[in-house]
Amino acid sequence: MPRRGRSRVPKLLRMARIVSETLDNGLPLHRIRVDGTRATTILIAFDAGARAERRDENGMAHFLEHVVFKGGEKYEDHRTINRTAEQLGARTNAATSHDLVAFHITVRAEAAPQAIDLVTDFVARPRLDENHLDMERGVVAQEIARYLDQPAYVASRMGALATFGDHPLGRPVLGRLEHLPTFTRAALLSFRQRRWAGCRGGAFIIGNIDHVSDDGEISDLFERFPTLEEPEPYESAPDFLPRTLVERRDTNQSHLRMSYRLDYDVTDAKARAAARTCAIILGGSPSSRFNDEIREQRRLCYSISAGIRECADVGVLNLAAGLASANCVEAYTRMREIVAELCAQGPTDEEVARARAVAAGRRVLAFEDTYTVALHTAHQAIVHHGDLDPDALIADLDAVTIDDVHDIASAIDPDKPSVACLGPHDAEEF
């Protein structure tokens, strides 16, 4: 058993001040003041990612994310949207994951009111013109084809399938090429009506909010979103049935993915912090066990890592390696042994202290960017229903103990990983 140690928690300077309200359309609006920045990020997100799709809709959430940028009621086409954003000096984009679809714009603080007017127009009131849909299908088809040309992406896609099977969490966010012709205007409107409910979303104004009035004018812009009924619950994560999937390719390089289901409550912020620390000990830093032994000492790979995938109701430890095909099975075997050693023996005090510092330090640096704060806050509010204060995450990471990490590691079944591999191999090798 590991020695029981206590962490030293540094005193935090308060990072953010939060004011929240719920608008008449059910959309929560959070104003989060972060001192020391001249930037403001506006982010709007919904619990309407790939996980919310039915089987024949796979890829629709991502496609809808694309086409809302083609025009709204006031800013009628993509040229007007893009030129207006440029005149504001803005950075605007969107992202779809399994759990969320999120739209964001970051500007200098003085331009925040105009940025809110812009983003709420085309996101809340998209035109969804049929001609635009036809053109964007070709763009998204090229995006899918581009990713399918990347072996690392294909391996990760296989890894999700090996872990979750034919469940929304196992399907690709980008969807399938054959689904694109079915994404008609009527289908997109139906999906949006079904999933983009304010009560399952949130709007976030993050950073320097000196120029954002609180007299109701800004709230009115976010009330451009229609009032919708609460959507049906998402499909719960399936039971873990480890699979081994191999796509044989005659290449010199192999791409290996392994996943272990974790047994903790993903709504518990302290448990999530411990799981992240556990992953860093395994393969999340240059001095991690994987990097030190498999890369530096054994020279079996160039790239190796470990990370946590945390969905709304399940946590998974994901391991990845890109390496010479001749080294793949040896690296796979040793990776499994290292996981088993951590499960049985636990971490050392020194490992936990170092990993804890890495996790918290990286997050502090990342939170210098208002967009990163906004995306984290959206996950907290919509996916995990947790504390919106970014300082809370840093405090939880600083407070992780050796017992916390041991609890996470000891619950892993080291003999039951799901495995995916792309390279000149057969399934029997794993």
Side-chain angles (χ1 to χ4, degrees):
M1 293 290 290
R3 291 188 298 110
R4 305 307 183 200
R6 299 182 65 183
S7 65
R8 290 185 175 181
V9 182
K11 184 178 289 187
L12 286 170
L13 295 175
R14 208 84 208 132
M15 178 179 175
R17 284 162 283 172
I18 303 167
V19 176
S20 300
E21 63 177 311
T22 300
L23 306 178
D24 289 343
N25 58 4
L27 183 70
L29 173 59
H30 308 281
R31 302 166 189 250
I32 302 180
R33 179 183 295 276
V34 178
D35 292 331
T37 179
R38 297 177 62 183
T40 307
T41 292
I42 300 95
L43 184 143
I44 303 161
F46 294 95
D47 174 15
R51 185 169 191 173
E53 300 166 341
R54 296 163 183 165
R55 182 179 285 104
D56 61 351
E57 294 175 335
N58 183 217
M60 185 174 288
H62 171 253
F63 187 70
L64 181 57
E65 171 222 306
H66 270 245
V67 297
V68 301
F69 280 87
K70 300 308 173 185
E73 289 186 13
K74 181 176 178 179
Y75 303 92
E76 295 184 349
D77 55 39
H78 69 278
R79 289 190 181 91
T80 307
I81 291 172
N82 292 338
R83 289 170 182 172
T84 302
E86 289 170 3
Q87 288 166 357
L88 297 176
R91 181 181 67 203
T92 185
N93 211 329
T96 304
S97 66
H98 280 90
D99 284 311
L100 289 180
V101 59
F103 303 86
H104 60 92
I105 184 168
T106 299
V107 292
R108 59 193 301 174
E110 296 86 344
Q114 299 98 311
I116 294 171
D117 177 50
L118 173 63
V119 73
T120 57
D121 178 61
F122 70 81
V123 178
R125 308 183 300 194
R127 295 172 65 87
L128 301 182
D129 183 273
E130 286 284 6
N131 292 329
H132 293 158
L133 301 190
D134 289 338
M135 290 187 289
E136 201 62 22
R137 285 190 191 94
V139 172
V140 174
Q142 292 178 72
E143 182 181 5
I144 293 172
R146 174 191 175 210
Y147 276 100
L148 290 176
D149 274 346
Q150 299 176 26
Y153 168 80
V154 176
S156 294
R157 184 166 163 169
M158 292 169 57
L161 182 61
T163 302
F164 293 107
D166 185 25
H167 179 278
L169 292 175
R171 298 173 196 150
V173 170
L174 295 181
R176 299 180 179 278
L177 287 170
E178 59 268 26
H179 286 176
L180 289 173
T182 70
F183 297 162
T184 63
R185 185 175 193 275
L188 293 171
L189 286 172
S190 176
F191 180 81
R192 186 172 176 272
Q193 181 81 13
R194 197 177 82 233
R195 298 305 315 184
W196 281 33
C199 61
R200 293 281 282 274
F204 307 85
I205 307 173
I206 311 283
N208 183 328
I209 59 175
D210 289 345
H211 300 270
V212 179
S213 69
D214 57 3
D215 59 5
E217 181 180 349
I218 295 299
S219 299
D220 288 345
L221 294 176
F222 288 101
E223 288 185 342
R224 288 170 169 173
F225 287 94
T227 302
L228 301 175
E229 293 183 5
E230 183 173 0
E232 62 192 19
Y234 52 74
E235 185 179 345
S236 297
D239 293 336
F240 188 46
L241 298 173
R243 304 166 181 85
T244 298
L245 301 178
V246 175
E247 182 175 320
R248 187 174 183 86
R249 291 191 185 181
D250 292 328
T251 58
N252 292 325
Q253 287 282 310
S254 295
H255 295 268
L256 175 66
R257 301 291 184 267
M258 299 164 60
S259 296
Y260 295 86
R261 180 71 63 89
L262 299 179
D263 184 20
Y264 68 97
D265 179 2
V266 292
T267 66
D268 183 342
K270 296 184 184 303
R272 295 199 305 272
R276 292 170 186 170
T277 306
C278 182
I280 288 173
I281 290 170
L282 277 171
S285 72
S287 63
S288 65
R289 294 189 181 190
F290 285 170
N291 273 282
D292 183 64
E293 180 173 337
I294 295 175
R295 186 186 193 278
E296 298 297 338
Q297 295 184 48
R298 295 179 179 244
R299 312 279 176 155
L300 293 177
C301 67
Y302 169 72
S303 171
I304 191 165
S305 64
I308 303 296
R309 178 183 177 185
E310 284 173 334
C311 302
D313 60 345
V314 66
V316 175
L317 172 66
N318 286 332
L319 315 180
L323 66 178
S325 297
N327 298 336
C328 187
V329 174
E330 182 183 352
Y332 160 78
T333 302
R334 186 59 192 134
M335 288 167 71
R336 286 192 59 170
E337 291 172 349
I338 290 173
V339 171
E341 290 164 3
L342 182 64
C343 295
Q345 302 166 17
T348 66
D349 281 313
E350 193 268 341
E351 282 181 315
V352 173
R354 190 171 62 241
R356 187 173 60 222
V358 167
R362 286 176 178 171
R363 192 50 71 162
V364 167
L365 296 177
F367 281 164
E368 293 294 303
D369 176 19
T370 55
Y371 165 66
T372 303
V373 177
L375 189 59
H376 163 75
T377 308
H379 274 273
Q380 287 293 97
I382 301 170
V383 180
H384 297 306
H385 309 289
D387 193 333
L388 302 191
D389 189 345
D391 284 330
L393 171 60
I394 297 167
D396 286 337
L397 291 168
D398 280 332
V400 170
T401 68
I402 191 171
D403 285 345
D404 297 332
V405 178
H406 188 255
D407 287 343
I408 296 292
S410 63
I412 298 172
D413 186 341
D415 296 323
K416 291 186 177 180
S418 63
V419 181
C421 188
L422 187 72
H425 308 284
D426 298 313
E428 293 74 21
E429 297 178 58
F430 300 98

